[in-house]
Structure formats: C-alpha cells, structure tokens
C-alpha cells in the first residue's frame, strides 16, 4: 500500500511540476515527489530483501539501484533530446512548445514512469513476513514458494516463525530500540555507510554534471553530451555490481569502489589544480552588453578558477559573470579536459559498482526483523539529509573553494570511508536475515543477583 501511495505522489508531482504557475507551486510539487521517492527508496529494498533467497539477495536488492540508474540515464538522454527539440524549427517541436517550456517537459515526463510503476505494483504480492505477523500463514506460504521454491519456503517460514516466537513478548520496534547497546554496531555501520554514499559527492556529479564539464572549458552543448556518458557508465557498472555482488561479496566491492573513488577524486583535484585562465581579445564580444569592461583583464593569467571568477565579477558584475561564465571559461582555460572526463567517469564507475547498490543491500541485511523497517527509514533519512546538504553546498564550494579543493575534500572523505570499511564492516553474503541478526546483534548480558 505504501508503494502504491509513493507511485501516486510521484505522478501528482510530475503533473504539478509541469503545470506550475509560480516558484512556490513548483517547490510544493517537487516536495510531493520527494515524499514519493523517499518512501519508495526505503520500502522497495526492504521488501526485496525479505522475499529474496539468501544466495540471490544481493543481486535482487541491487536491482533497486539499477532502476534508479536507468532512470538517471534516461533523464540525461531525454533532457538532451528536449534541448535539441527546443532549438529545432520543425513544426512538431514548435507546436508542442519545446522552445518556451524546456524544463516543463523535462519534469512532466516523470508522469510516464510513475504510471508504469503504479500498474506494475498490481503484480506484486504482499510480504510473507507481514502476512505471518497478521496470522495469515496460508497466504504467506505460496508467495514464499514462488520466491524460493517449495522446500526452502517451508524452512524459511519456519525460521521466521521461530524468530517471531522469540520476540512475541517484546513490544513493537520503536525509535528508542535503535539506540540500544545490542544494535549499536549495526546502527553505526548503517549510519556511516549512509553518510559515505553521499558525502563523496555522487549527487554533485549527477545533478551538476553539465556544470562540472563546462568548468573544464568544453562548452555547454559538449557538457550535456558528456553528461550522457555519465549516465551510461553508471548503468554499465551497476550491471557489473549486480553480477558480482553475490559472488565476490559486499565488502570486496566496497573496498574496490572506495579505492577507485579516492584515486579519481585526487585526479580531478590535480586536473583542475593545473588549469590556468587567460582571456583573449575575443572575450569582450562574448558578453552581450558591457563587454568592454573585460579589456583590462585581456592577457592576464589566473592560476585558479576562484581568482578568475572573482575578477570577472569585479569587471562586469555578478549577474553578467554568472550568465556568461561557461563561454568565458571555454575561451580562457588552458587544461586537459580529457583528464577531467576520465576522472568523472572513473568516479561514477567506482561508485556504481560499490556504494550505489551495496549500501541498499547492507541496509536490508544488517538490522533485526523487529526494527528493520524503522532502522532502514532512520539511516535512509540520514542518507537523504546528507544528500541535500551536499547538493546545496556544492555550488558554493565551486564559487568559494574552487573545483580542485572541492574534489580533494570528496577524495579525503572516500579515503576515510575506505579505512572504516576495512576495519569495521562485516561480510554479509549468503546468510539468512535471521542468521545476520544472530551474528551482528549483541545480546544484552544476563542479569544476576548477588547471593545473600
């Protein structure tokens, strides 16, 4: 039912965003979509983990991330197509108003996957564990048999019932239970991995890919084309993760991916750090009005992007400097843009084969049944909160710290995360959820009274 509600919220958001008549209207519509996306992000991997056979759980939960990646990739392609249609003089493009409504089409297209999601949910049965909790054993068995086979279904349902019998005298899991000493280890792992997935900068790259590529001086159109490469690489390496996660395990993929992220972020820091900026004689003509104010800067060389942007703002004003930043950087920069492309694509590949899918798999496996739903919601909330912070801060970082230092910070976070994974994160592949709880959740010490 919650997934049905999420699909409805996403559809309402898409239509509302496309038809928005004011900024406030648009923000409200996007927030409605945020509720839908947030709910589905948490509930979908939880559902998949509970219905999947242990030997295939990693692959099946990773399909959740695969669908996210497919959506991102399709969005890159459709956004680029809409930009091309907006520049087209064809009757088709003109009649549909692409030139005046680019962003409305980009957001309105979300309606289609939302409807497909809603229809698909009619083919999804209820969770066997939930049915057992409601005393509907006869309904739970055929669903579990469909998922894992007849013999395994009987065994797994027996384990679930034994776990429920063990917890029958306990109250329903609450937020307070998350902070009990027994689950401190798994909560720490969940929180750190949730923070790490976002604080290494993945959504900065996804949401600002055209901006990042434009900073390397390749131009606006080329930056959107290279952003498509980001989506394709993300898709390919997510598929690789699905193929490997139940063979190699979760921890080896995390180690490999975080090592790659660290190296690629250092490469990006080096690439942008080596760039220089020198305006040529054609610079004034790039700015529509007041371009002559740039003449004193012609021939001057700036060693970093922050100094260059500050000089532009001082010369032609903040608004004009922001509006014409991309073409002015393209005309002035001296660097190796191929190095930036390699660094970004390498980072996305490293993320897609590790933190992207593995985080959701770990979330679905770490926590005991009684508190799994609230625990995943809690760490998912932290993950989303860090994502919001990173996205909000990224433009400020580019403007204030510069591209080189920004990517260096991401690399240092990845290096710290690598150390944490090596020392703390356990391997969880191939074990039932009940086995995971028995191994990772530390039972409280028995109480005893002193002899009289």
């Amino acid at each position: 039912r919650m997934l049905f509600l999420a699909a409805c919220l996403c559809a309402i958001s898409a239509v509302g965003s496309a038809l928005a008549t004011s900024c406030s209207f648009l923000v409200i519509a996007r927030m409605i979509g945020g509720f839908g996306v947030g709910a589905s992000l948490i509930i979908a991997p939880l559902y998949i983990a509970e219905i999947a056979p242990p030997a295939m759980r990693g692959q099946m939960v990773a399909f959740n991330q695969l669908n996210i990646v497919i959506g991102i990739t399709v969005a890159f392609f459709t956004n680029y197509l809409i930009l091309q249609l907006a520049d087209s003089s064809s009757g088709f493009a003109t009649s549909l108003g692409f030139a005046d409504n680019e962003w409305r089409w980009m957001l309105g297209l979300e309606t289609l996957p939302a409807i497909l999601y809603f229809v698909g949910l009619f083919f999804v049965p209820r969770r066997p564990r939930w049915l057992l909790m409601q005393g509907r054993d006869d309904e739970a068995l055929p669903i579990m048999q469909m998922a894992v086979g007849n013999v395994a279904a009987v065994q797994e349902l027996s384990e679930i019932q034994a776990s429920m019998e063990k917890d029958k005298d306990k109250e329903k899991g609450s937020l307070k239970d998350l902070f009990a000493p027994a689950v401190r280890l798994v909560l720490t792992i969940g929180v750190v991995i949730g923070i790490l997935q976002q604080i290494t900068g993945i959504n900065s790259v996804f949401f600002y890919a055209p901006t990042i590529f434009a900073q390397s001086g390749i131009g606006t159109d080329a930056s959107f084309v290279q952003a498509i490469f980001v989506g394709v690489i993300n898709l390919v390496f997510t598929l690789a993760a699905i193929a490997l996660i139940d063979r190699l395990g979760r921890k080896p993929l995390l180690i490999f991916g975080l090592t790659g992220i660290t190296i690629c972020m250092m490469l990006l820091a080096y690439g942008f750090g080596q760039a220089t900026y020198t305006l040529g004689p054609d610079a004034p003509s790039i700015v529509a009005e007041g371009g002559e104010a740039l003449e004193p800067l012609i021939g001057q060389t700036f060693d970093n992007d922050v100094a260059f942007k500050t000089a532009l703002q001082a010369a032609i004003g903040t608004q004009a400097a922001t509006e014409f930043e991309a073409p002015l950087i393209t005309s002035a920069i001296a660097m190796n843009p191929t190095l930036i492309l390699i660094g970004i694509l390498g980072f996305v590949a490293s993320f897609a084969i590790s933190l992207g899918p593995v985080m959701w798999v770990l979330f679905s496996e770490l926590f005991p049944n009684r508190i799994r739903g609230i625990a995943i919601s809690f760490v998912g909330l932290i993950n989303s909160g860090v994502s919001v912070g990173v996205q909000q801060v990224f433009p400020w970082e580019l403007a204030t710290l510069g591209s080189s230092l920004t990517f260096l910070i991401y690399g240092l976070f990845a290096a710290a995360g690598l150390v944490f994974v090596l020392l703390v994160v356990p391997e969880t592949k191939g074990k039932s959820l009940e086995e995971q709880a028995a191994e990772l959740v530390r039972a409280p010490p028995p109480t005893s009274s002193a002899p009289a």
Side-chain angles (χ1 to χ4, degrees):
R1 289 177 180 175
M2 287 299 298
L3 291 177
F4 271 115
L5 176 61
C8 292
L9 291 175
C10 289
I12 293 170
S13 172
V15 174
S17 299
L19 301 178
T21 55
S22 67
C23 183
S24 298
F25 193 124
L26 178 62
V27 170
I28 292 172
R30 301 307 295 157
M31 288 180 65
I32 291 172
F35 286 122
V37 171
S40 60
L41 276 178
I42 299 302
I43 299 169
L46 172 64
Y47 175 93
I48 297 168
E50 291 195 2
I51 203 171
M56 294 179 60
R57 189 189 308 117
Q59 289 183 347
M60 294 183 68
V61 175
F63 266 100
N64 182 65
Q65 178 69 13
L66 174 64
N67 285 324
I68 295 171
V69 168
I70 290 174
I72 292 171
T73 305
V74 171
F76 279 133
F77 275 104
T78 56
N79 287 350
Y80 180 73
L81 177 61
I82 289 170
L83 287 176
Q84 299 307 303
L85 289 171
D87 293 334
S88 172
S89 59
S90 70
F92 168 77
T94 304
S95 64
L96 292 177
F98 282 102
D100 298 324
N101 301 287
E102 296 165 319
W103 62 270
R104 294 185 187 274
W105 277 101
M106 291 177 181
L107 299 179
L109 281 178
E110 297 173 23
T111 310
L112 180 59
I115 292 173
L116 292 174
Y117 188 36
F118 182 84
V119 173
L121 286 170
F122 282 100
F123 300 93
V124 176
R126 291 189 180 276
R127 294 182 300 140
R129 280 177 173 79
W130 183 85
L131 291 170
L132 289 177
M133 291 170 62
Q134 308 303 313
R136 295 157 63 176
D137 299 22
D138 292 342
E139 295 179 55
L141 180 59
I143 296 173
M144 189 62 79
Q145 287 174 331
M146 183 173 58
V148 301
N150 294 342
V151 176
V154 173
Q155 179 180 349
E156 189 156 344
L157 288 179
S158 176
E159 292 178 1
I160 296 170
Q161 288 172 325
S163 177
M164 291 170 55
E165 181 68 21
K166 181 180 177 182
D167 294 336
K168 69 177 182 178
D169 294 328
K170 298 179 181 179
E171 296 181 3
K172 186 178 180 180
S174 65
L175 189 61
K176 180 181 177 181
D177 294 325
L178 282 180
F179 303 98
V183 295
R184 187 174 296 157
L185 173 63
V186 292
L187 181 62
T188 300
I189 294 171
V191 169
V192 171
I193 295 298
I195 293 173
L196 187 62
Q197 194 211 40
Q198 292 298 328
I199 209 167
T200 49
I202 188 60
N203 278 341
S204 295
V205 171
F206 281 156
F207 297 152
Y208 294 98
T211 300
I212 295 170
F213 288 127
Q215 297 292 310
S216 68
I218 63 172
T220 301
D221 285 348
S223 69
F224 270 90
V225 172
Q226 291 195 358
I228 292 175
F229 294 164
V230 170
V232 173
I233 289 293
N234 193 21
L235 176 59
V236 169
F237 279 84
T238 300
L239 289 171
I242 291 175
L244 296 173
I245 194 166
D246 284 321
R247 297 182 185 179
L248 299 182
R250 290 64 162 143
K251 187 168 183 174
L253 290 185
L254 284 176
I255 293 171
F256 175 80
L258 284 167
T259 301
I261 290 172
T262 303
I263 293 172
C264 291
M265 284 301 177
M266 297 303 175
L267 181 64
L268 289 169
Y270 171 80
F272 279 110
Q274 295 298 304
T276 59
Y277 303 81
T278 307
L279 284 177
D282 62 331
S285 63
I286 296 175
V287 181
E289 295 181 8
E292 63 276 1
L294 291 173
E295 291 179 359
L297 300 180
I298 293 175
Q300 291 189 38
T301 298
F302 299 88
D303 293 332
N304 62 78
D305 53 343
V306 175
F308 177 67
K309 294 173 186 177
T310 301
L312 292 180
Q313 292 172 6
I316 60 176
T318 301
Q319 182 175 345
T322 301
E323 182 179 354
F324 297 100
E325 179 180 290
L328 287 171
I329 288 178
T330 301
S331 69
I333 196 169
M335 71 174 305
N336 183 359
T338 303
L339 197 65
I340 304 304
L341 180 62
I342 292 172
I344 291 293
L345 296 184
F347 162 64
V348 171
S350 300
F351 175 89
I353 205 169
S354 59
L355 281 172
V358 173
M359 183 194 78
W360 294 111
V361 175
L362 284 177
F363 281 5
S364 69
E365 294 177 329
L366 286 172
F367 303 105
N369 291 331
R370 196 168 66 91
I371 62 168
R372 183 175 296 116
I374 194 169
I376 294 178
S377 299
F378 178 75
V379 293
L381 176 64
I382 292 175
N383 174 263
S384 297
V386 174
S387 174
V388 171
V390 169
Q391 294 169 50
Q392 293 297 321
V393 169
F394 184 69
W396 175 87
E397 288 178 309
L398 288 183
T400 308
L401 305 179
S403 301
S404 181
L405 184 54
T406 297
F407 289 115
L408 176 62
I409 291 171
Y410 290 154
L412 293 176
F413 280 129
L418 176 61
V419 173
F420 178 84
V421 170
L422 287 169
L423 297 179
V424 179
V425 176
E427 181 54 67
T428 59
K429 73 167 184 174
K431 301 173 184 176
S432 71
L433 298 178
E434 284 67 33
E435 289 174 324
Q436 303 282 9
E439 293 180 10
L440 295 176
V441 177
R442 297 167 180 171
T447 56
S448 59
S449 57

